[in-house]
Amino acid sequence: MGNRTIEWDLTFLMAVLNWAVRSRDEHGRPLLDRNPLKGLRKPRAKNPTRVVLTEEEYRALLKVSRRVDWRFRVGLVLAHETGHRIGAIRNLTWSDIDFESAMVRWRAKHEKTGYEHTTPLTDEAVAVLEEARRMNPGNGDGPVLPAPPQPAQCLGRSMALKWWSRAETLAKLEPKRGRGWHSLRRKFASDLMDQPLKVLCELGGWKNPQTVLRCYQQANTGQLRTALESRRRVRAR
């Protein structure tokens, strides 16, 4: 087990303990007098694997997406076009989608940051949502991506991961540790590197700009060369 996994587990455990310290039982007594882990330093991975999905890899996955499942295709396009986590996308309901205004609401309870916000939809995202509506003509609180065995429930995490793995196989992508749904979120942040950080944070639902800079944005060779070329032009004036 790596330091990254231990860090996540300890973060969750400390959140639970902090909640117990703040909460009271039926007699008004705190559930926990103190957090026994308060001040504990969590291990951190020195070189965490943060893969950014390439445009070529995305196109390869998109090409085989219908062979996997229509829900996989919808989730793939929405993850690419909105930059949001697959967990938030899996839990979208039709009441969250405003086709007329081309907007989507991201509910706080499905966001890791607890940040409820609304973002515009691209033409590609609207098109794939219309495709989903044809396949799953639900409304209201019905899931956009229903679970295969239980259409009244949202698609589960394990199925989303299974479909991703199958798509990689069909697309004949070489195995790469760290490539997965979250690599699309990093692609989104990196693709929009030229946009103001405030705008990017609003679009992707990030509350802390430093998180974007530290964990998500990665400059590619083309962007680095463009930056150097811009510098050369400035010096030549």
Side-chain angles (χ1 to χ4, degrees):
M1 184 180 294
N3 284 342
R4 187 66 171 163
T5 301
I6 297 173
E7 180 188 356
W8 287 341
D9 289 345
L10 283 175
T11 298
F12 173 74
L13 177 58
M14 293 182 76
V16 172
L17 294 175
N18 287 331
W19 169 83
V21 170
R22 296 192 302 267
S23 301
R24 307 258 172 192
D25 62 16
E26 62 272 17
H27 302 294
R29 295 173 299 198
L31 297 179
L32 197 65
D33 292 331
R34 64 183 182 85
N35 182 346
L37 298 184
K38 186 176 181 179
L40 176 69
R41 294 185 63 182
K42 293 175 285 188
R44 295 184 179 275
K46 292 183 179 180
N47 296 298
T49 303
R50 291 169 177 153
V51 174
V52 177
L53 194 73
T54 68
E55 184 66 23
E56 293 73 19
E57 289 171 334
Y58 172 66
R59 293 297 168 188
L61 292 171
L62 189 62
K63 187 176 180 179
V64 302
S65 60
R66 283 198 173 91
R67 294 168 59 188
V68 177
D69 191 278
W70 68 266
R71 284 158 285 212
F72 172 75
R73 176 178 174 80
V74 173
L76 180 69
V77 174
L78 289 181
H80 183 266
E81 296 298 314
T82 69
H84 280 69
R85 295 178 177 85
I86 187 58
I89 293 170
R90 289 190 296 103
N91 285 285
L92 285 174
T93 64
W94 288 115
S95 61
D96 296 321
I97 311 299
D98 185 342
F99 282 99
E100 185 175 348
S101 300
M103 302 288 289
V104 56
R105 173 182 60 177
W106 305 97
R107 302 192 190 200
K109 63 181 179 179
H110 301 311
E111 285 289 311
K112 183 179 179 181
T113 57
Y115 172 45
E116 182 158 324
H117 55 290
T118 302
T119 60
L121 292 166
T122 63
D123 292 342
E124 291 83 356
V126 171
V128 84
L129 283 167
E130 289 175 342
E131 181 179 333
R133 189 162 57 173
R134 290 193 296 271
M135 300 296 294
N136 170 39
N139 51 51
D141 289 329
V144 173
L145 301 178
Q150 298 172 307
Q153 296 184 12
C154 293
L155 180 69
R157 179 176 180 271
S158 61
M159 184 60 74
L161 294 176
K162 179 180 178 180
W163 283 343
W164 181 278
S165 179
R166 174 164 168 71
E168 284 189 325
T169 300
L170 290 173
K172 295 182 171 56
L173 295 180
E174 289 294 327
K176 184 188 294 184
R177 184 185 176 192
R179 185 206 287 133
W181 287 103
H182 217 62
S183 64
L184 277 164
R185 187 159 164 80
R186 298 188 193 99
K187 182 180 187 300
F188 183 85
S190 299
D191 286 349
L192 296 180
M193 192 176 294
D194 293 337
Q195 296 299 314
L197 193 54
K198 174 68 174 176
V199 172
L200 176 59
C201 288
E202 289 292 329
L203 285 174
W206 286 283
K207 292 182 71 175
N208 185 353
Q210 291 304 313
T211 300
V212 178
L213 296 173
R214 185 177 66 253
C215 304
Y216 288 92
Q217 286 188 330
Q218 294 184 28
N220 58 40
T221 302
Q223 289 169 320
L224 295 177
R225 290 188 183 281
T226 298
L228 289 175
E229 182 62 22
S230 297
R231 179 173 183 258
R232 187 190 68 78
R233 289 196 298 268
V234 170
R235 295 180 66 188
R237 291 175 183 172

